[in-house]
Amino acid sequence: MDYEALSELEQAIEPWLQHMTWRRDYGRWRERRINQELYQDERLAMLSGVAGELRGLRVLDLGAGMGGFAVAAALRGARVVACEYNPAYCEIVRLRAERHNLRLPVFNAAGETLPFADASFDVVVAWDVIEHVQSPTAMLREIARVLRPKGHCLITAINRRAWIDPHYHLPGINWLPRMLAEVLIARRGRTKAGAAFRDMQRLSEMHYFHYGQFIRLCKRHGFRAKDLRQEQLRRGTLRSPKPTRRAIRRVLRGLGLEGLAYRVQRRWYVGMFELALEKMQ
């Protein structure tokens, strides 16, 4: 690859993609990372569905990663602050914001110790974050602290029973003892060895959850939780991209079993839970 021909943003991102070159769709996946802010419509719709009009909304993007969501929300008029633990990612967020002439505050901090005053935000989003922190409990406590009363948090959590692991893209490893799963990951060449990551986590070091377990954890920190996908199912707006899945859902719906099938899949199959949390006080 000719690095000199890449934009400054692409040059900053490129080292953080090399651990995924085994992907069959690597070219398309890379393009979505480079232009991440263009692929946020679904999550922006989730945000507006929970919190209403985005313009003027005080939003903390906690664990902002490469900044795609933060920039996309800012372009829609939200007052976004990005917070990211990886200093290199903080620079990527700044470069992405500069691409659109945005002045977007970026803080380098951990989710367990946020550098913001109490009740600073209307919404906190934490996509693909809580599995990586040292203490999920401390992170949820901090989210509750910086949210205003009745504020919202949109958060994802990884299913401990996920059939296809969201990080290593291997089937069945979450149904194995962690030690055996990590041997399989190494043999399949799916570790981050040799990549830009220096704080690489093994599978056994990440925090995965059973659905009920995570709901109870959120409740202990003063949140009421809703499954965003289940809400879409109830409203009739849940999309299934594959024709076979749409056909199966039609049959299940006709039998009155679609809701039950969803809950079974959530328990034993899906990769992650997507939740809306409301701070009760």
Side-chain angles (χ1 to χ4, degrees):
M1 181 176 293
D2 183 4
Y3 274 75
E4 293 184 0
L6 300 179
S7 69
E8 187 176 3
L9 176 61
E10 289 176 301
Q11 289 182 34
I13 291 175
E14 198 65 39
W16 302 94
L17 306 181
Q18 298 310 302
H19 66 289
M20 299 292 278
T21 53
W22 50 264
R23 292 180 65 120
R24 294 180 181 178
D25 64 341
Y26 176 76
R28 180 174 177 272
W29 179 81
R30 176 186 179 277
E31 187 276 329
R32 290 178 69 92
R33 292 299 179 275
I34 300 297
N35 299 302
Q36 201 175 56
E37 67 272 27
L38 304 181
Y39 298 96
Q40 302 298 321
D41 286 352
E42 184 176 19
R43 283 185 164 172
L44 287 169
M46 287 181 175
L47 175 57
S48 61
V50 168
E53 171 62 41
L54 298 190
R55 186 163 299 279
L57 198 68
R58 298 174 301 165
V59 177
L60 172 63
D61 188 354
L62 174 55
M66 296 187 181
F69 182 82
V71 168
L75 288 171
R76 297 285 185 92
R79 295 162 54 195
V80 182
V81 173
C83 184
E84 170 55 46
Y85 182 73
N86 184 336
Y89 277 16
C90 290
E91 180 60 20
I92 290 170
V93 177
R94 293 188 186 97
L95 291 171
R96 193 181 300 280
E98 288 176 6
R99 173 195 265 183
H100 298 278
N101 298 313
L102 291 173
R103 298 183 64 182
L104 196 159
V106 183
F107 289 80
N108 178 212
E112 299 95 327
T113 53
L114 297 175
F116 309 112
D118 296 358
S120 296
F121 299 97
D122 302 309
V123 177
V124 175
V125 297
W127 312 116
D128 311 315
V129 179
I130 200 166
E131 65 267 27
H132 297 296
V133 300
Q134 292 296 310
S135 172
T137 295
M139 176 179 150
L140 286 169
R141 185 185 305 120
E142 279 291 272
I143 290 173
R145 182 183 65 79
V146 302
L147 272 177
R148 64 167 174 79
K150 301 297 183 181
H152 299 278
C153 174
L154 274 65
I155 191 168
T156 58
I158 304 300
N159 186 2
R160 180 60 179 83
R161 299 187 181 98
W163 174 244
I164 304 294
D165 184 80
H167 294 98
Y168 296 100
H169 301 258
L170 292 172
I173 61 173
N174 288 303
W175 293 13
L176 300 174
R178 284 313 200 210
M179 184 179 297
L180 183 57
E182 287 174 349
V183 170
L184 182 60
I185 290 166
R187 288 187 175 178
R188 292 292 301 275
R190 299 292 175 89
T191 68
K192 294 177 181 177
F197 294 93
R198 294 294 176 265
D199 57 345
M200 180 185 69
Q201 291 174 296
R202 298 192 304 272
L203 180 63
S204 59
E205 295 171 328
M206 289 188 278
H207 305 281
Y208 288 19
F209 299 90
H210 302 295
Y211 181 76
Q213 173 193 19
F214 191 67
I215 295 297
R216 290 189 294 272
L217 179 62
C218 293
K219 286 182 177 179
R220 285 202 297 271
H221 289 85
F223 290 110
R224 179 167 56 194
K226 290 193 300 186
D227 179 340
L228 287 165
R229 297 297 181 188
Q230 189 173 36
E231 290 299 305
Q232 290 176 348
L233 181 66
R234 288 171 178 165
R235 294 195 303 266
T237 59
L238 182 63
R239 295 176 60 249
S240 294
K242 294 183 178 180
T244 52
R245 291 188 180 180
R246 292 197 294 270
I248 291 170
R249 284 182 57 197
R250 282 195 296 270
V251 172
L252 290 169
R253 193 179 309 124
L255 296 171
L257 297 175
E258 189 178 25
L260 175 61
Y262 175 84
R263 293 191 297 275
V264 170
Q265 179 178 261
R266 182 177 65 192
R267 182 178 179 87
W268 294 101
Y269 183 82
V270 297
M272 70 169 60
F273 316 123
E274 296 171 280
L275 304 174
L277 311 180
E278 181 182 4
K279 181 180 175 181
M280 297 310 298
Q281 297 180 354

